[in-house]
Amino acid sequence: MKIAVGLSGGVDSSVAAYLLKKEGYDVFALFMQNWNDTTGTLHGDCEWEEDLSVARMVAKKIGIPFHFVDLSGEYRKRVVDYMFSEYEKGRTPNPDVLCNREIKFDAFLKCAMELGADYVATGHYCRKEEIMGADGNPIYRILAGSDGNKDQSYFLCQLSQQQLSKAMFPIGDITKPEVRRIAREAGLPSAEKKDSQGICFVGKVDLPVFLQQKLQSKEGDVVEIFPDWYDGRPAPQSLEEMSLPLRYTPQDGKKIGRHIGAQFYTIGQRKGLGIGGHKTPVFVLATDMETNTIYVGEGDGHPGLYRKALYIEEGDIHWIRPDLEMAEGEERDYLVRIRYRQPLQKARLLRREGRMYILFEEPQRAATAGQFAVWYATDGEMLGSGIIAE
């Protein structure tokens, strides 16, 4: 069996390659370059060049062939352009989820297959299992990684059964400290390399500067909404009403500053507002793209930060397990998260005509349009996901 390892130069993929080689598989390394533009990056240089150098050394140390593929054109078209489009609409996309669906397990997978690979392995902290379906065909389950602090299943929430059939996750049942230990004992050059941060393959960025490559700055008002605005407001009665974010007008609050463009801010954001004169931090509650207005509130407990429900449009619902897809009118209880590393939340999913509603047991902080809501079974299996509509 021939396995291509997506060798990034980091310790996780390095150990994945090492373990597969040790188990006797026919392994080769495939490094992908997805980004070479330094605009907006905080380090000001191309980190991928350092990653490439480390990856080459790791492959040499393990004793496996090394290949290089440039997917920067595909990455820009299928991930970065989508990012720009979403931010322009006032939504907050998750490029790491898109990168896995569109690049690692699509464009990259195709390159690996052309080089003779039967499977593609990555250094994700998640687990895959195979069971037999009622029709006699295999069904692939994806479960949370054994290391609760590093579980990365969320980023794979858009993968299909076809993509999973070709995927391997060799370190999914290992903890991060154990991965470091294995790397040190094996003398891998990436053993002490820090984990990458920021946007997948781009790195840490100054987001407004990065987005200004395509999105123009336009000054607008920052309006503060005070907690007493919510006093006496009728509580939403229907599920549809509960799933909609609150709407504000400039007359609902007090103008307290200016901003560089509503598209550069996201719900729950605290940094980069430049607003002073408050005892506790100020957070973004809402953005209005039509009027170019940002609404903010003081304090992490501000009522405008919390929502009891949200919804996903029909076309944005994705089932990793199509055999478990909910029928219209059906309701089920699942565990849900609306961002990476968020503790799983108890919620009820309700399939209705044209939509999937998610009704949480407890109000959720900073539910953000464009992000992914992901649902899990109680045994840790990730079953599906969808894009938060608004």
Side-chain angles (χ1 to χ4, degrees):
M1 185 186 297
K2 196 169 187 178
I3 302 173
V5 177
L7 199 62
S8 66
V11 67
D12 298 328
S13 62
S14 299
V15 170
Y18 171 76
L19 292 176
L20 290 171
K21 173 71 173 178
K22 192 175 179 182
E23 290 172 20
Y25 291 106
D26 182 3
V27 182
F28 69 90
L30 184 55
F31 179 95
M32 56 180 155
Q33 177 192 348
N34 284 351
W35 195 253
N36 54 21
D37 187 345
T38 61
T39 304
T41 59
L42 297 182
H43 297 291
D45 56 13
C46 289
E47 289 187 55
W48 74 267
E49 293 177 343
E50 178 188 342
D51 293 337
L52 174 60
S53 177
V54 174
R56 285 188 190 277
M57 290 189 289
V58 169
K60 184 176 181 180
K61 176 69 177 179
I62 297 173
I64 58 176
F66 183 89
H67 299 271
F68 173 93
V69 60
D70 184 352
L71 295 175
S72 53
E74 288 290 307
Y75 185 81
R76 177 175 284 279
K77 180 172 65 176
R78 297 166 71 173
V79 178
V80 177
D81 285 353
Y82 174 84
M83 275 183 61
F84 286 129
S85 174
E86 286 288 274
Y87 274 106
E88 190 172 28
K89 297 171 187 172
R91 294 158 61 86
T92 305
N94 191 309
D96 289 350
V97 172
L98 267 294
C99 179
N100 283 312
R101 186 185 76 188
E102 300 292 329
I103 305 299
K104 288 180 183 174
F105 294 96
D106 192 315
F108 178 78
L109 176 61
K110 289 173 183 175
C111 290
M113 297 295 117
E114 289 171 3
L115 291 169
D118 298 301
Y119 292 89
V120 162
T122 67
H124 284 101
Y125 286 87
C126 64
R127 295 171 291 145
K128 170 187 163 183
E129 291 182 358
E130 180 179 332
I131 60 174
M132 197 61 65
D135 59 1
N137 292 316
I139 293 174
Y140 301 98
R141 306 174 73 221
I142 185 165
L143 298 103
S146 296
D147 188 336
N149 292 320
K150 288 295 294 183
D151 170 40
Q152 294 174 316
S153 57
Y154 178 90
F155 294 126
L156 305 175
C157 68
Q158 287 278 294
L159 295 193
S160 67
Q161 284 290 301
Q162 177 60 32
Q163 289 171 311
L164 282 172
S165 73
K166 298 294 183 181
M168 295 180 73
F169 309 110
I171 64 169
D173 57 356
I174 306 175
T175 65
K176 183 72 177 197
E178 178 70 2
V179 165
R180 290 281 186 194
R181 185 192 65 77
I182 293 171
R184 291 188 191 103
E185 290 186 358
L188 300 182
S190 58
E192 305 302 333
K193 195 170 185 291
K194 291 183 179 179
D195 292 343
S196 59
Q197 294 181 315
I199 300 171
C200 183
F201 291 107
V202 176
K204 294 199 75 172
V205 299
D206 181 326
L207 192 58
V209 173
F210 182 78
L211 293 175
Q212 283 171 36
Q213 295 177 70
K214 285 196 174 183
L215 307 184
Q216 288 189 335
S217 297
K218 182 183 178 183
E219 282 199 10
D221 291 335
V222 178
V223 175
E224 182 172 2
I225 303 296
F226 298 97
D228 60 7
W229 181 83
Y230 305 89
D231 295 343
R233 290 182 60 83
Q237 299 300 309
S238 68
L239 183 61
E240 182 178 6
E241 289 176 345
M242 282 191 285
S243 72
L244 295 173
L246 290 169
R247 314 290 187 190
Y248 306 100
T249 69
Q251 292 71 41
D252 292 329
K254 175 184 177 182
K255 177 183 172 182
I256 61 170
R258 300 281 283 173
H259 63 78
I260 62 172
Q263 69 269 31
F264 301 128
Y265 300 86
T266 189
I267 309 304
Q269 181 174 335
R270 168 184 171 184
K271 296 180 179 179
L273 291 170
I275 302 295
H278 292 75
K279 292 182 179 179
T280 56
V282 170
F283 298 88
V284 175
L285 305 178
T287 60
D288 188 328
M289 301 304 294
E290 289 187 12
T291 63
N292 193 33
T293 305
I294 291 177
Y295 296 96
V296 302
E298 181 178 4
D300 191 56
H302 193 286
L305 280 174
Y306 292 84
R307 288 170 62 182
K308 182 75 171 177
L310 53 85
Y311 74 93
I312 298 164
E313 295 285 9
E314 181 75 31
D316 291 327
I317 301 170
H318 172 72
W319 286 90
I320 299 166
R321 288 283 303 274
D323 58 307
L324 297 179
E325 183 173 350
M326 292 168 59
E328 187 176 309
E330 191 175 358
E331 301 180 8
R332 288 186 205 158
D333 291 331
Y334 283 127
L335 298 172
V336 179
R337 59 168 50 106
I338 58 174
R339 65 181 65 86
Y340 174 53
R341 295 185 72 85
Q342 180 197 26
L344 289 169
Q345 306 291 306
K346 292 181 179 179
R348 170 155 289 195
L349 271 62
L350 307 96
R351 188 75 180 261
R352 299 292 185 261
E353 183 179 359
R355 288 182 175 181
M356 175 81 82
Y357 291 97
I358 302 179
L359 180 63
F360 292 95
E361 188 173 281
E362 299 292 338
Q364 298 300 297
R365 184 185 182 280
T368 308
Q371 289 284 292
F372 288 89
V374 182
W375 47 94
Y376 294 75
T378 53
D379 66 353
E381 181 180 5
M382 184 170 62
L383 302 176
S385 66
I387 302 172
I388 299 171
E390 61 177 319

